[in-house]
Amino acid sequence: MWHALQGPNQEFARTKGRAARYDPEVTPFAGLTDDPDDAAWADLATLYGSDEVAVLTARRPLEPPDSWDTLGRIPGVQMVGPTDGIPAERDQDRIGTPLGADDVADMLDLVRRTEPGPFLPRTVELGGYLGVRREGRLVAMAGHRMHLPGFTEISAVCTDVEVRGQGIAGSLVGQVVAGIVARGEQAFLHATVSNVNAIRLYEALGFRARTRLEFLAARIPADPHGSTEL
């Protein structure tokens, strides 16, 4: 997250010292420099404010200051996609159409029904979103989140329960990958270790596990500046 916010995602960044976060209407994720010290956590507290929740991810477990409230730690896996793309979808019923600002209400409703992870009113601005509709109702989507030099993350992959098992999620991921590869970049994504069905799908599409990591949610204390003084 830190490197994305210092690079291609900089337009969405709020940065202080050794900490950065996405605009709070885009995504709740934040990033710290490697091996963050108390000063880095104090910078992050300033970006969020008292009693807000920061969401971070790292290959090694992050340890917030004792005064912070750790709300959850979820083991995950980072996967990288095939560099030559995925065979093109031929079934018109599974081909996605671009989603934008006019589709946000439908996207938020789909997220509410399927719970793929954080998705906020301006997340769509991260780009690359494609969706499939049935009788006008949005039933599946996928798009972008982190953007690093040479790499783009696929995120918010979700399918309504009524159309699962029809290959729509795999088709949308393949189409998003195609756009990333066409730009000369490589796709990557994240999944929780417990989401074995999603991991199987991604493996079938040619993704491979790169590393294990951890998602951390932590609440900033009521007096963050006093609690993180050196």
Side-chain angles (χ1 to χ4, degrees):
M1 295 292 177
W2 168 261
H3 295 289
L5 289 165
Q6 299 306 297
N9 281 160
Q10 192 171 21
E11 66 180 290
F12 302 106
R14 297 184 180 184
T15 303
K16 178 175 174 57
R18 300 178 63 197
R21 69 169 295 184
Y22 281 89
D23 183 292
E25 291 188 348
V26 174
T27 181
F29 280 95
L32 297 166
T33 56
D34 292 340
D35 300 316
D37 57 14
D38 284 351
W41 288 101
D43 288 338
L44 186 63
T46 299
L47 290 173
Y48 275 85
S50 174
D51 209 38
E52 286 193 78
V53 176
V55 183
L56 304 100
T57 182
R59 294 176 66 178
R60 289 177 292 178
L62 293 168
E63 298 298 338
D66 291 341
S67 58
W68 290 46
D69 183 13
T70 298
L71 302 178
R73 295 180 181 273
I74 301 175
V77 59
Q78 184 181 88
M79 307 181 75
V80 291
T83 56
D84 56 353
I86 295 170
E89 176 60 64
R90 299 182 183 279
D91 188 334
Q92 293 296 315
D93 288 339
R94 296 198 297 251
I95 293 179
T97 57
L99 300 174
D102 292 342
D103 301 293
V104 167
D106 289 344
M107 298 168 81
L108 290 171
D109 186 53
L110 177 61
V111 166
R112 179 188 57 78
R113 300 195 305 270
T114 58
E115 300 182 343
F119 189 92
L120 301 173
R122 291 183 56 206
T123 304
V124 68
E125 295 179 24
L126 295 172
Y129 275 89
L130 298 175
V132 169
R133 294 181 180 273
R134 291 286 186 268
E135 298 180 353
R137 186 170 185 250
L138 186 67
V139 296
M141 70 177 185
H144 297 169
R145 187 165 58 193
M146 275 194 292
H147 189 189
L148 299 147
F151 297 88
T152 296
E153 180 194 23
I154 296 175
S155 184
V157 180
C158 52
T159 308
D160 225 340
V161 64
E162 66 193 48
V163 295
R164 288 177 188 170
Q166 298 180 19
I168 298 175
S171 172
L172 286 177
V173 170
Q175 293 166 65
V176 176
V177 168
I180 294 170
V181 171
R183 297 198 304 269
E185 298 182 345
Q186 186 172 11
F188 72 105
L189 51 78
H190 297 95
T192 60
V193 170
S194 62
N195 195 351
V196 293
N197 289 333
I199 292 172
R200 287 197 195 103
L201 168 65
Y202 300 140
E203 289 175 337
L205 293 172
F207 282 79
R208 60 177 178 80
R210 175 180 177 269
T211 187
R212 290 291 185 100
L213 43 74
E214 180 182 81
F215 297 98
L216 168 72
R219 188 182 303 278
I220 288 83
D223 183 16
H225 305 294
S227 63
T228 54
E229 288 181 350
L230 296 174

